[in-house]
Amino acid sequence: MKKWIIAAVLVGVGIVIAFPLFSMTYYTMVRTSTPEFCASCHEIKPAVVAWRSSTHVNNPQGFVADCMDCHLPAPHKTFDFFFAKTVHGLKDVIKHFTSEEYDRQKNREAAYASFNNAECQKCHRNLLAMPHKRGAMLAHRTVLYPRPGYEKKCVDCHYDLVHNDSVSIMYKQYRRAPYQAKGLRNL
């Protein structure tokens, strides 16, 4: 009987300690995953302004892809998400306090180099169903099913789609010409 009581007390103490810790961790992760939080850092503010004028915010579908949708693993991969968010957050804080000047172009290139196609494919799933855009469909096929040695990343062609420093918002339905990928600029 005593062992049962000790086990129940230990489980109760574990719950009393674990629940607030989990709640605070979850609350912190949610609050620090917003574009407003990202923009609170002066180094990131130009990227957030450029994002706000992109089609990842302004599109006829009304869908908004925010910072963590592109820069972190999918939230359903809980451990990967929390680990990546923690590492990126610590890296940004250390850079903020130790770097003398923020080199935006260098950091942008480092971010694009670390991108993986799975980040884009979280939202862009049906890339081969473009009956009226055969060239785009064929280009996406070479990314989805690459030959060995010819692997490509989405950002090889779409490198200026989101963070392009455009001063005006280009709504998709009002553009004179549709968005065209700029091609493989680094290859």
Side-chain angles (χ1 to χ4, degrees), residues 40-55:
S40 67
C41 180
H42 70 275
E43 291 102 344
I44 306 299
K45 192 172 283 192
V48 174
V49 169
W51 164 78
R52 284 192 180 122
S53 65
S54 76
T55 56

Side-chain angles (χ1 to χ4, degrees), residues 44-180:
I44 306 299
K45 192 172 283 192
V48 174
V49 169
W51 164 78
R52 284 192 180 122
S53 65
S54 76
T55 56
H56 278 73
V57 175
N58 304 293
N59 56 67
Q61 294 83 12
F63 179 77
V64 175
D66 63 14
C67 305
M68 70 174 214
D69 290 329
C70 299
H71 293 279
L72 293 175
H76 68 271
K77 297 179 180 176
T78 308
F79 180 77
D80 292 341
F81 177 78
F82 283 123
F83 181 76
K85 180 145 182 53
T86 302
V87 167
H88 284 299
L90 288 173
K91 172 188 62 86
D92 290 342
V93 168
I94 289 169
K95 262 189 182 178
H96 176 76
F97 288 110
T98 60
S99 296
E100 290 191 20
E101 189 173 330
Y102 184 79
D103 186 352
R104 195 155 172 253
Q105 185 61 32
K106 180 181 172 188
N107 286 317
R108 180 180 177 176
E109 289 171 7
Y112 280 178
S114 70
F115 262 109
N116 141 3
N117 289 344
E119 304 307 318
C120 300
Q121 291 171 0
K122 286 188 292 190
C123 298
H124 300 279
R125 294 187 187 120
N126 201 6
L127 296 172
L128 298 180
M130 299 180 185
H132 304 295
K133 297 179 181 177
R134 183 164 171 75
M137 181 199 61
L138 292 173
H140 288 145
R141 185 182 296 167
T142 63
V143 172
L144 294 173
Y145 307 109
R147 295 181 303 167
Y150 291 93
E151 292 83 8
K152 297 177 189 168
K153 292 184 177 185
C154 299
V155 293
D156 289 340
C157 294
H158 300 284
Y159 63 91
D160 65 346
L161 182 61
V162 178
H163 298 294
N164 64 5
D165 296 332
S166 174
V167 292
S168 62
I169 296 173
M170 296 295 290
Y171 292 99
K172 192 182 267 183
Q173 64 268 33
Y174 297 119
R175 290 184 181 178
R176 291 185 184 164
Y179 171 78
Q180 297 292 316

